Amino acid sequence: MHEDGNGDGRRVGAGASDSGLDRPGFLALERELTVLLRRARASQGEMAREVHPDLESSAYGLLVRLDECGRQRATDLAAYIGVGKATMSRQLRALEELGLVAREPDPADGRAWLVALTREGRERVGRVREARRERYARRLADWDPREVTELARLLHQLNRGMEK
């Protein structure tokens, strides 16, 4: 049996059939994304603690972004993560205190700062991300590699569509 978003198996929302949203595909999509997102939130907290015991769960995605894209301005990070400047400033201060990120002057604009992973931050994030991929590989070992690639492609397509 699949979990649903409200936890008790009830269908929620009036008028869904009028708009076509009760089609089996959209119902299944909602259900499966709800399960995936719940598990992702729990997993993000675990990974954050693996990077550093005092790391907030919400800061893990910020570290991954810096790992993938390199140094960036705090305003760009805030826009990407979807938080305000004050929240980003607080998160970056906490990450600096943990020794995971450092700020450096932006050579293109002397008034601005760039945020980058420290060597320690890069090593810790790298270890956690590698362990995460190893877990995926173990859990999906019985999948055809083409199915894994197709799932990644479809998730990328979904993420791009959600940006619109």
Side-chain angles (χ1 to χ4, degrees):
M1 180 171 157
H2 290 289
E3 300 172 42
D4 64 8
N6 57 21
D8 64 6
R10 290 181 296 127
R11 289 177 61 179
V12 178
S17 62
D18 296 340
S19 63
L21 296 178
D22 64 346
R23 292 187 310 205
F26 286 110
L27 291 169
L29 177 64
E30 177 194 19
R31 179 178 49 249
E32 298 305 329
L33 281 176
T34 299
V35 173
L36 179 66
L37 292 172
R38 181 186 50 77
R39 288 184 177 151
R41 279 190 298 274
S43 178
Q44 182 170 326
E46 292 169 13
M47 290 178 291
R49 287 185 295 279
E50 288 176 29
V51 170
H52 193 284
D54 297 328
L55 183 64
E56 287 185 25
S57 174
S58 60
Y60 179 77
L62 178 60
L63 294 174
V64 169
R65 177 70 174 180
L66 289 169
D67 188 42
E68 290 180 346
C69 299
R71 60 190 190 164
Q72 295 184 23
R73 288 185 177 190
T75 53
D76 295 335
L77 289 168
Y80 176 78
I81 300 292
V83 298
K85 288 169 53 176
T87 299
M88 181 55 57
S89 181
R90 182 186 58 77
Q91 284 186 340
L92 290 175
R93 198 169 31 260
L95 291 171
E96 281 182 296
E97 290 172 6
L98 295 175
L100 301 173
V101 303
R103 296 178 204 230
E104 54 192 57
D106 184 345
D109 181 352
R111 300 165 297 159
W113 293 86
L114 295 173
V115 180
L117 290 175
T118 61
R119 182 175 179 191
E120 177 76 12
R122 218 175 9 266
E123 290 172 1
R124 287 177 178 248
V125 170
R127 280 194 304 267
V128 170
R129 293 187 74 197
E130 184 175 341
R132 182 184 197 187
R133 287 189 304 273
E134 288 172 1
R135 282 193 296 270
Y136 289 153
R138 280 193 310 273
R139 290 179 178 157
L140 302 177
D142 59 338
W143 284 40
D144 183 304
R146 292 173 297 206
E147 291 175 317
V148 175
T149 301
E150 179 66 1
L151 176 59
R153 186 190 71 75
L154 290 170
L155 288 171
H156 177 75
Q157 185 176 336
L158 175 66
N159 286 327
R160 283 189 33 218
M162 295 295 186
E163 290 174 358
K164 296 177 182 176

